[in-house]
Amino acid sequence: MSVEELQQTACLVRVTGPDPKGVKVKDRAFYVTTDDGYTTLSASGILINRSKDQSSPKDLLVACSASLIASFRELGEDGSSPKDKLIPRCNVDMCVGDGGGWHRLDLIKIITIDGIRTATESLVGGSVRDVRGISIGSVAIFRATSFIENVYIPTLEVFASAKVRKGDKLMIISS
């Protein structure tokens, strides 16, 4: 995949939800709060097109850091264990390309990547805390709810190798 094609897989993801006391912006760099008690946070995302013909929005997934939605997760019956569901009146959207507009996303799943926490803790020399059940290295996966017209999104082929050897090529996607 060329650099130009890889650039076409980038998007901006934003989450907007109720935050009457402004507590969801603690330790955040990119946010907007409004007088009506809503907060908007944003992060970089990557588009994962699972179809060559782009005929269906269900084939377009978006991945971003799960920390973006951590404070907007719905808590379980016990009040502590969060679900893979967002609180009521919370919306997630993405913006693609130049003038592509905003497109609604639905949360599918939150994935925690094994080993990231351990590696981070060894680097910082201490423990890393979770935020509402979101660990460092967790990724939120969303599905587009509508077709995105006039935007070409290349099919991103993601490979997971059990063994990486010295000299192997690696693709690292980060924000």
Side-chain angles (χ1 to χ4, degrees):
M1 178 175 282
S2 70
V3 171
E4 291 76 22
E5 285 180 313
L6 193 55
Q7 287 173 330
Q8 291 173 317
T9 64
C11 66
L12 179 66
V13 180
R14 73 177 178 191
V15 59
T16 301
D19 184 19
K21 296 180 183 173
V23 296
K24 294 178 181 8
V25 297
K26 184 181 178 210
D27 300 326
R28 297 286 184 157
F30 302 105
Y31 67 89
V32 173
T33 56
T34 59
D35 292 336
D36 60 354
Y38 277 77
T39 292
T40 300
L41 305 173
S42 63
S44 300
I46 185 163
L47 300 165
I48 303 168
N49 179 13
R50 301 185 308 165
S51 171
K52 298 253 186 226
D53 64 6
Q54 297 187 26
S55 60
S56 170
K58 71 178 177 149
D59 292 324
L60 182 61
L61 302 179
V62 176
C64 76
S65 171
S67 66
L68 175 68
I69 61 167
S71 33
F72 292 103
R73 287 179 74 192
E74 190 172 286
L75 295 176
E77 299 287 328
D78 62 358
S80 63
S81 53
K83 303 176 182 178
D84 280 359
K85 185 176 178 184
L86 300 176
I87 60 175
R89 299 182 322 226
C90 184
N91 296 310
V92 181
D93 306 288
M94 71 166 167
C95 184
V96 177
D98 295 329
W102 291 97
H103 303 276
R104 180 66 51 93
L105 298 174
D106 285 337
L107 177 64
I108 298 173
K109 187 159 187 63
I110 296 171
I111 300 167
T112 300
I113 301 168
D114 295 333
I116 300 274
R117 179 188 201 103
T118 305
T120 303
E121 288 177 341
S122 70
L123 286 172
V124 299
S127 63
V128 178
R129 69 179 179 92
D130 291 355
V131 177
R132 286 184 82 123
I134 301 288
S135 177
I136 190 161
S138 293
V139 177
I141 306 294
F142 301 94
R143 177 175 286 125
T145 62
S146 62
F147 185 73
I148 301 170
E149 296 186 38
N150 303 320
V151 176
Y152 169 72
I153 302 164
T155 303
L156 181 63
E157 297 178 14
V158 180
F159 301 98
S161 174
K163 296 180 182 179
V164 178
R165 294 178 305 274
K166 184 176 181 179
D168 285 352
K169 289 184 180 182
L170 298 175
M171 176 170 47
I172 299 172
I173 301 169
S174 170
S175 67

